Amino acid sequence: MHRLAVIANFTVENFNTMAIKNVELVMSPRAPHYVGDGFRVHNFIPGGYRLDMQRMNPFIMLDYNSKFYFTPSDKPRGVSVHPHRGFETVTIAYKGRVAHQDSSGGGGVIAEGDVQWMTAASGVLHKEYHEENWSKEGGDFQMVQLWVNLPAKDKMSNPKYQALSNKQINRYTLENNSGEIEVIAGQYKNVQGSASTFTPVHLLNAKLNKEAKTDFSFPPQYNTAALVVEGSVIINETEEVPADHFVLFENDGETFTVKAQENSIVLILSGESINEPIAAHGPFVMNTNAELMQAFDDYNKGKFGYLE
Amino acid sequence: MNDFKLITFLTSNIDIDKHSIEALIENCKLLKVDKGSFLLRQGEICKYSFYVEQGLLRYYSIDEKGKEHILQFAPETWFVADRESVYFNQPSHYFIQALEDSSVILLDENFITQLAQKNTSFLQFNNKLLHNHIRHLQNRINQLLSATAEERYLDFIKIYPNLLLRVPQSMVASYLGITPESLSRVRKDLAAKNFKR
């Protein structure tokens, strides 16, 4: 009797400190649409079932270009000049290369494995195209574009870039070399993320070899999701998630496990919700409609600058 | 049913209860059209006035050289029709095309007549709408005859605050009666004046 009671006690304590973060929803990719002519994307946030901006806040948009072969083209495909205000855009390149240019004269190339974290904040005009040489050869193209919301106090701050080449991204190496976690932002175990953020955000690329298993812990209230970019994984020992599927976690426990059934890449997102109203229209995400109208007016009147 | 923008528009402008409007609108057709579809082609008779619930239409002509001239954009809550064709029952000179996937309510004479019968203040309101439209057209003619490209552009963004992000610049230029190059110049000059960092 005595011994049994002790075991029960121990189990309860263990459960309290390591409460499981359960899967709320596994979502298959929706029919793709084109952004410009260079990005063939499945939208998960905010269009998807239950994945509206407030539910996923601070992750207010996620477009996923699943692996897609683009034929060679002398004229690079892409998206022509457009503005952004009120948030950050994060581009994660898994396959292919993207060249970008903006109205303040900045520009660069996001190559395979790189991440570009652009704080649009008060406003930028930019364009994104397949990088010229890559476009001429064609090939598999696979990217994620994520929009991270900014709190009201930072929405009108100065725009900036964090260009993270793959080498610069801090990594955590898993036991027995069974894989690594690229810590794009936030933290994984003792490794700090490479990008700075305005509010608490964890963004991780888990690259797991077949049979590798690891765990992730985030505060229960953080909005948390995962996108299987490559391979196939099992979450919490029960939920099988194939490639190109999106997992939404409940806002209850802290910890979940990911086990790779084959060599896999999983993008993991977790962030503290920004508890403010959202007014969004097209490329602007603000707090009120008046601010949205102002954004349109500023854009129309050239206050975002000029770019051909 | 309750969500129709047309119902909100009518009930907030004329003294009529929501249920009477709903009953009338139930007899109208709601058309869902894909981007690129035509609601009117040159040579056809325009049978309806179109009210845009969602999406965006353009009303335009094509000249002998094949060049397009946009008379009007109709985003959400706008009406568009070839009134000449509707009223005089004549083949149209114009095209009406969806620039985005759109939902459009088709309003015919019947709707207008019945609404007028139910509510006399509607005729007054309809008259006001018509004069508003004439004012808009007069302003367009005057601008095309006398205003600079920048003045036309500034007027355009007042009328259509979010269209620049929804249509190609060549279409904006076509509406303004200027070349795409002059539109670029106008926007570049404005940015030079207004862009501060």
Side-chain angles (χ1 to χ4, degrees):
Chain A
M1 257 329 260
H2 180 71
R3 211 174 138 209
L4 262 182
V6 169
I7 290 168
N9 218 352
F10 175 78
T11 313
V12 169
E13 263 177 31
N14 194 32
F15 188 78
N16 276 342
T17 51
M18 296 282 281
I20 292 172
K21 197 182 262 305
N22 289 305
V23 170
E24 177 173 332
L25 176 74
V26 175
M27 195 176 158
S28 52
R30 303 196 304 160
H33 68 273
Y34 274 87
V35 179
D37 63 359
F39 301 87
R40 180 186 176 272
V41 302
H42 310 275
N43 176 262
F44 284 107
I45 309 169
Y49 180 59
R50 284 192 226 171
L51 304 175
D52 63 54
M53 285 189 175
Q54 281 297 14
R55 171 65 183 89
M56 294 313 294
N57 202 352
F59 308 110
I60 48 181
M61 202 283 304
L62 190 146
D63 268 349
Y64 171 52
N65 190 133
S66 59
K67 200 182 289 169
F68 183 78
Y69 178 79
F70 278 97
T71 54
S73 169
D74 284 339
K75 191 174 167 286
R77 301 177 179 95
V79 191
S80 62
V81 181
H82 59 281
H84 291 298
R85 174 181 280 181
F87 56 94
E88 304 182 281
T89 64
V90 182
T91 306
I92 307 166
Y94 292 99
K95 295 268 177 214
R97 289 199 298 275
V98 168
H100 66 97
Q101 253 188 307
D102 73 72
S103 47
S104 62
V109 174
I110 312 166
E112 223 164 278
D114 297 349
V115 174
Q116 186 212 50
W117 198 296
M118 182 181 84
T119 306
S122 65
V124 292
L125 280 185
H126 78 155
K127 55 182 181 182
E128 301 142 287
Y129 283 92
H130 294 172
E131 189 269 323
E132 203 176 337
N133 289 324
W134 186 87
S135 180
K136 279 180 183 155
E137 291 193 5
D140 281 341
F141 192 82
Q142 190 178 25
M143 305 246 162
V144 164
Q145 192 172 73
L146 176 70
W147 291 2
V148 178
N149 200 6
L150 287 173
K153 69 175 177 57
D154 297 315
K155 279 192 187 290
M156 292 303 279
S157 61
N158 286 333
K160 66 171 187 185
Y161 283 108
Q162 300 177 73
L164 309 172
S165 70
N166 190 263
K167 275 187 196 151
Q168 289 171 310
I169 298 172
N170 299 333
R171 309 162 141 71
Y172 177 91
T173 307
L174 297 175
E175 280 172 21
N176 310 322
N177 253 344
S178 61
E180 60 179 18
I181 313 293
E182 293 176 354
V183 189
I184 301 166
Q187 197 178 353
Y188 184 73
K189 313 257 184 214
N190 56 350
V191 177
Q192 289 295 322
S194 304
S196 70
T197 61
F198 287 77
T199 60
V201 168
H202 300 280
L203 192 62
L204 314 169
N205 247 336
K207 299 188 166 170
L208 308 175
N209 298 333
K210 185 176 176 174
E211 302 298 334
K213 183 183 161 185
T214 189
D215 57 282
F216 298 87
S217 288
F218 306 108
Q221 73 278 14
Y222 278 28
N223 291 326
T224 303
L227 173 69
V228 180
V229 171
E230 196 81 62
S232 156
V233 300
I234 294 179
I235 293 184
N236 289 338
E237 303 290 345
T238 51
E239 206 71 58
E240 196 174 324
V241 187
D244 304 335
H245 282 56
F246 189 91
V247 183
L248 172 67
F249 289 91
E250 285 177 6
N251 293 88
D252 56 358
E254 294 176 349
T255 302
F256 61 90
T257 59
V258 177
K259 186 181 171 196
Q261 291 185 293
E262 49 193 295
N263 291 347
S264 300
I265 302 177
V266 186
L267 176 69
I268 291 175
L269 318 86
S270 184
E272 185 178 43
S273 184
I274 297 169
N275 195 14
E276 293 173 3
I278 292 177
H281 192 118
F284 307 127
V285 182
M286 306 302 290
N287 299 110
T288 66
N289 276 327
E291 289 167 349
L292 272 187
M293 293 307 288
Q294 187 64 50
F296 279 111
D297 198 52
D298 288 352
Y299 168 67
N300 288 338
K301 289 188 176 148
K303 290 184 184 173
F304 284 64
Y306 186 82
L307 186 65
E308 284 287 351
Chain B
M1 194 69 201
N2 300 339
D3 294 323
F4 282 125
K5 295 187 175 91
L6 181 58
I7 295 178
T8 314
F9 173 72
L10 291 173
T11 50
S12 57
N13 282 292
I14 54 177
D15 183 22
I16 189 164
D17 67 286
K18 207 170 158 187
H19 297 294
S20 315
I21 297 268
E22 279 174 357
L24 279 180
I25 287 189
E26 264 171 27
N27 295 324
C28 294
K29 290 185 189 113
L30 176 73
L31 196 65
K32 301 220 174 199
V33 286
D34 291 339
K35 179 178 174 172
S37 329
F38 287 91
L39 289 91
L40 175 70
R41 280 193 180 84
Q42 193 179 57
E44 294 172 356
I45 289 179
C46 186
K47 293 200 182 73
Y48 302 99
S49 289
F50 303 104
Y51 179 83
V52 182
E53 277 290 327
Q54 203 177 356
L56 175 65
L57 309 181
R58 67 165 173 161
Y59 177 39
Y60 69 104
S61 63
I62 301 180
D63 69 19
E64 282 175 5
K65 290 175 187 156
K67 198 174 167 216
E68 296 174 353
H69 305 275
I70 297 177
L71 279 79
Q72 188 193 331
F73 291 104
E76 298 81 7
T77 75
W78 278 61
F79 289 98
V80 63
D82 176 357
R83 295 192 182 228
E84 182 190 6
S85 180
V86 171
Y87 194 82
F88 297 103
N89 202 30
Q90 286 175 359
S92 180
H93 303 294
Y94 305 102
F95 296 83
I96 296 178
Q97 186 190 29
L99 295 179
E100 296 173 357
D101 294 349
S102 305
S103 343
V104 179
I105 298 182
L106 309 186
L107 301 168
D108 57 12
E109 269 309 300
N110 211 14
F111 176 80
I112 309 285
T113 322
Q114 289 190 14
L115 193 51
Q117 277 170 0
K118 280 201 173 167
N119 189 297
T120 44
S121 71
F122 171 71
L123 280 182
Q124 232 174 342
F125 178 62
N126 198 33
N127 202 25
K128 190 176 146 194
L129 286 183
L130 189 59
H131 280 92
N132 244 335
H133 185 60
I134 293 169
R135 175 166 68 178
H136 173 74
L137 294 179
Q138 269 183 192
N139 188 37
R140 284 273 285 148
I141 295 169
N142 189 43
Q143 284 215 338
L144 291 170
L145 292 172
S146 68
T148 64
E150 181 171 309
E151 285 164 344
R152 293 180 203 183
Y153 174 76
L154 291 175
D155 200 53
F156 170 80
I157 61 176
K158 224 184 281 170
I159 298 173
Y160 299 115
N162 69 10
L163 272 203
L164 210 56
L165 287 165
R166 295 168 69 175
V167 303
Q169 305 237 347
S170 56
M171 284 193 192
V172 177
S174 162
Y175 174 92
L176 297 176
I178 61 179
T179 61
E181 291 75 18
S182 351
L183 176 59
S184 271
R185 212 172 306 124
V186 167
R187 297 196 62 229
K188 206 169 177 171
D189 291 349
L190 276 173
K193 261 189 269 179
N194 294 329
F195 181 52
K196 289 182 194 79
R197 181 148 293 153

